[in-house]
Amino acid sequence: MGKGRKAAKTSAIAFGFQVVLGTLVNAILNDPGPLSLSSKDMETRLAGCLLLLLQGECGRAPR
């Protein structure tokens, strides 16, 4: 993510983990679909979401 912007990077990483953990908690408690916790695709898609979020942060201009 480059040098500087420590607060923005920390925030982006923390939010990414919140998205992943929130999705996993929801899958455990409610199993709403379309993917269940036991689905290999769940892992792949969550990793992809986290990657896209962090890549998006890398491409953002400093405020």
Side-chain angles (χ1 to χ4, degrees):
M1 289 184 174
K3 294 185 178 185
R5 301 179 58 232
K6 184 176 180 179
K9 291 186 283 190
T10 300
S11 179
I13 293 167
F15 180 71
F17 278 110
Q18 181 179 354
V19 169
V20 169
L21 294 174
T23 301
L24 292 174
V25 166
N26 189 44
I28 290 168
L29 295 177
N30 303 313
D31 196 17
L35 299 176
S36 66
L37 194 60
S38 61
S39 172
K40 179 67 175 164
D41 204 29
M42 173 74 87
E43 178 184 339
T44 304
R45 289 184 179 268
L46 279 177
C49 286
L50 184 57
L51 177 63
L52 287 171
L53 186 143
L54 296 176
Q55 286 175 335
E57 186 61 34
C58 288
R60 282 179 95 179
R63 293 180 190 196

